[in-house]
Amino acid sequence: MRLITHSFPFTYKGETFYLVYHPYSNSLHSVDYKAYLVIKHKYEELSPQELADFSALDSADVLEIESEIAELEKQGLLGVDITFPYKKSDIVKALCLHVCHDCNLQCKYCFAKEGTYNTARDYMTEEVAKAAIDFLIAKSGSRKSLEIDFFGGEPLMNMKVVKFAVEYGREQAAKHGKEFSFTMTTNALLLTDENIEYLNREMDNIVISIDGRRDVHNRVRKTRNGADAYDLILSSAKKLRAVRGDKRYYIRGTFTAYNLDFSKDVLALADAGFDQISVEPVVLPQDNPMAITSDMVGKVLAEYDALAEAYIDRRMGGKWFNFFHFMIDLEEGPCIMKRLSGCSAGCGYLAVSPVGDIYPCHQFVGEADYRIGNVLDGTFDLAIPDKFGEITVNNKAKCESCFAKYYCSGGCVAASHYYEKDLLTPYGAGCEMMKKRLECSLGIYAVEKKFSK
Amino acid sequence: MKHISTIAKTERKSTVMGCGECQSSCQSACKTSCTVGNQTCKQEERINTTEKKTNI
């Protein structure tokens, strides 16, 4: 049995909130400074200053706090951690459908090499899309809710196949007692009025890529002929937002070494009228000038703190918006099985290339060693899904005593592969960012809870 | 309690097993830096059919 509890201060407008997060119970405690010291002394390591303060505590106070800790331990809300057993599943429930390995932008940081994934520019045919949907239904067992994300390259460049897949998917879902959720990740460049009407009707979620401020976006995301595209993309995204109502969408940006002050990009997107925003660190080899290198991580963490403060201000000041990485559900949230397995890449979630090749996820597409099979010829090498099915947070040594382990599930498996060259070793810099985002999420929760009373 | 106030906790009994019907986390928004703890339970979603306008 391990004892995992994370005690940390969170500051908002000069006021410090002492918080204690217990991952096992997913509970959050707001404590006074004395209790913070006693709890941290019991489960973690105090800093020299904290140790001095702890030593100066009145013994009666310490006894009182220890009694409160004992009560919470009895309720399972502090201290205890056990290893939840994981039940492996061979059900496939989600496909990332690469309908197009071509793109009308040439983003400098694109992990997909301008949409081509280091292969020839290629477009999925209706035959491949049909086979992919048949494959998903056949592998979905008793699962009712199935998902298809139209991805690329730029999926709007192959709308004919998108429309075919949606129609065929809905038809087959009705026959087999399934429900399809369709989503699309697009750069919005081809968002005509007709496309907006169609996507708004058929897609359960639409993810639009915009990087924030105009100069930030235009610096790294040019059209194929080298032109700036920010104004056109923003205008189209606003049109879609205007008709979207309460249906799900995200404005999704990427930050790089060029804009470590990315909180300004998040706020710029909020100022542009969007209320569902995700801005995420770039995925690039460390020798790329845009990569987030280890020496930049401190700056990134400080930026998350700055964003958290501005985020609370906006939300409490009548300018509510949601930042994807500050979302947390402490009352319910995902089940333990999901928290253990994460994205389920390579087993529950797979990617299909334009020619029908199956890979563990979109980031593995084009990697010959990770080709699982093909939806057209019916090949499916179980060795890779079996291997990926064993990747849970329980099997990652680095995660064992981490307070964020039931929040990130050990992180992105593709990041582990590319940065750490080992599927079971979480990407180090990613871990630091994830832990900071979790602290911010918990701090935001505590502050909003206090001021909403 | 005088020093410690529990401001949130999860009803663990309803979240251990899982039905597998929820959205794959990588399909939600990220595609690169996956987060799982911020996903919504499908069962809960069916009860609350609209997105929560809170810290989730």
Side-chain angles (χ1 to χ4, degrees), chain A residues 158-396:
Chain A
N158 197 6
M159 270 305 277
K160 183 168 169 274
V161 166
V162 169
K163 288 180 177 178
F164 168 81
V166 169
E167 190 180 343
Y168 181 71
R170 299 228 188 273
E171 185 188 299
Q172 293 303 304
K175 274 188 194 168
H176 295 273
K178 308 286 183 182
E179 283 176 7
F180 268 107
S181 294
F182 294 105
T183 60
M184 179 179 279
T185 304
T186 174
N187 64 29
L189 212 54
L190 296 176
L191 268 184
T192 59
D193 289 348
E194 184 189 343
N195 283 340
I196 286 173
E197 189 278 326
Y198 178 83
L199 297 180
N200 188 45
R201 187 177 72 239
E202 298 292 350
M203 298 295 135
D204 291 84
N205 190 17
I206 304 168
V207 179
I208 298 175
S209 309
I210 308 176
D211 282 356
R213 290 164 290 180
R214 177 185 284 105
D215 58 331
V216 168
H217 184 101
N218 283 338
R219 183 177 182 187
V220 293
R221 306 193 69 199
K222 302 279 189 191
T223 63
R224 291 284 290 281
N225 59 12
D228 291 342
Y230 177 83
D231 291 328
L232 174 59
I233 288 171
L234 185 72
S235 163
S236 299
K238 282 181 173 179
K239 274 189 192 174
L240 186 138
R241 174 68 194 101
V243 300
R244 196 66 180 153
D246 285 337
K247 294 180 83 173
R248 296 176 64 211
Y249 79 96
Y250 266 102
I251 299 298
R252 194 264 188 228
T254 298
F255 69 85
T256 72
Y258 292 169
N259 61 315
L260 294 175
D261 58 348
F262 61 90
S263 71
K264 293 185 175 68
D265 294 290
V266 175
L267 299 179
L269 292 169
D271 287 339
F274 301 110
D275 60 358
Q276 300 290 339
I277 299 167
S278 180
V279 174
E280 311 194 13
V282 73
V283 176
L284 280 175
Q286 295 291 285
D287 58 354
N288 188 297
M290 283 174 287
I292 310 289
T293 53
S294 52
D295 60 311
M296 297 173 191
V297 170
K299 165 70 180 149
V300 171
L301 304 190
E303 197 65 15
Y304 278 124
D305 279 332
L307 178 59
E309 180 145 334
Y311 186 68
I312 297 169
D313 282 347
R314 296 261 180 136
R315 286 160 64 100
M316 295 201 308
K319 293 182 176 177
W320 188 96
F321 73 95
N322 176 51
F323 181 62
F324 179 73
H325 275 146
F326 285 167
M327 289 161 63
I328 191 165
D329 186 349
L330 293 170
E331 277 81 33
E332 188 69 36
C335 62
I336 285 298
M337 287 304 117
K338 179 150 184 158
R339 290 178 189 273
L340 295 178
S341 62
C343 65
S344 73
C347 38
Y349 166 61
L350 301 170
V352 178
S353 77
V355 295
D357 287 340
I358 307 166
Y359 292 92
C361 82
H362 56 289
Q363 292 201 60
F364 283 93
V365 168
E367 289 234 10
D369 289 348
Y370 286 93
R371 183 182 173 276
I372 299 172
N374 186 282
V375 295
L376 283 178
D377 65 20
T379 52
F380 192 71
D381 178 3
L382 283 171
I384 296 174
D386 277 352
K387 184 179 178 183
F388 276 74
E390 298 290 342
I391 301 171
T392 71
V393 76
N394 286 347
N395 298 331
K396 297 181 181 180

Side-chain angles (χ1 to χ4, degrees), chain B residues 24-44:
Chain B
S24 296
S25 48
C26 216
Q27 303 276 58
S28 55
C30 60
K31 290 287 187 189
T32 58
S33 55
C34 191
T35 309
V36 174
N38 62 5
Q39 302 292 295
T40 306
C41 171
K42 189 79 176 177
Q43 301 302 331
E44 187 190 16

Side-chain angles (χ1 to χ4, degrees), chain B residues 4-5 54-55:
Chain B
I4 306 173
S5 166
T54 62
N55 191 215

